[in-house]
Amino acid sequence: MASLLAQATMLTHFAFLAYVVFGGFLAWRWPRAFAPHLVAVTWGALIVTVPWLDCPLTMLEDHFRRAAGQPGVGAFIDTYVSGVLYPTRYVLVAQVLAASVVAVSWLGGYLRWRGARGTGARTHRMGR
């Protein structure tokens, strides 16, 4: 059971990372999605930049892995992402690319919101 919980935590962690990178596009359709995405991006940036800050999902996965008699995974990104999805030497490139995707999603959301607000389309779409 602990091994299954560790796997579920790992999948949740991947989902969170995908949300951090791509979640801003949800605000294009649902503007209220911007606030939770801002919180997720802030948390993700802190986890990557503050060395003493530990991610609770990593700690939870490690707990379940140890309970299953397996070794802990350590840093999630170092274990599952860097060196797996892209070569380790491209960590900075991957971070800049992820930040760029977030910035594009926020800029696009802002432009859509501003354009809809200016034309009255936003209130029409919402049925008002």
Side-chain angles (χ1 to χ4, degrees):
M1 182 61 161
S3 182
L4 183 62
L5 290 171
Q7 295 296 323
T9 305
M10 178 193 61
L11 292 175
T12 301
H13 215 155
F14 271 116
F16 179 77
L17 286 178
Y19 178 69
V20 165
V21 176
F22 301 107
F25 292 106
L26 295 173
W28 290 27
R29 177 79 169 114
W30 301 289
R32 290 184 181 147
F34 177 75
H37 187 249
L38 176 62
V39 171
V41 168
T42 302
W43 177 253
L46 286 172
I47 288 295
V48 170
T49 58
V50 178
W52 51 264
L53 191 59
D54 294 325
C55 178
L57 287 172
T58 299
M59 292 187 302
L60 188 62
E61 181 183 352
D62 277 350
H63 167 77
F64 289 137
R65 291 215 181 275
R66 288 189 183 104
Q70 302 169 359
V73 296
F76 180 84
I77 290 178
D78 293 344
T79 302
Y80 297 114
V81 181
S82 181
V84 177
L85 297 179
Y86 54 83
T88 304
R89 67 181 178 271
Y90 293 119
V91 168
L92 183 60
V93 172
Q95 290 172 342
V96 168
L97 181 60
S100 298
V101 170
V102 171
V104 166
S105 73
W106 287 357
L107 177 62
Y110 170 75
L111 293 173
R112 286 178 57 100
W113 176 80
R114 190 185 75 182
R117 187 170 171 228
T119 63
R122 182 172 182 238
T123 56
H124 176 71
R125 266 192 317 217
M126 298 181 97
R128 294 185 194 167

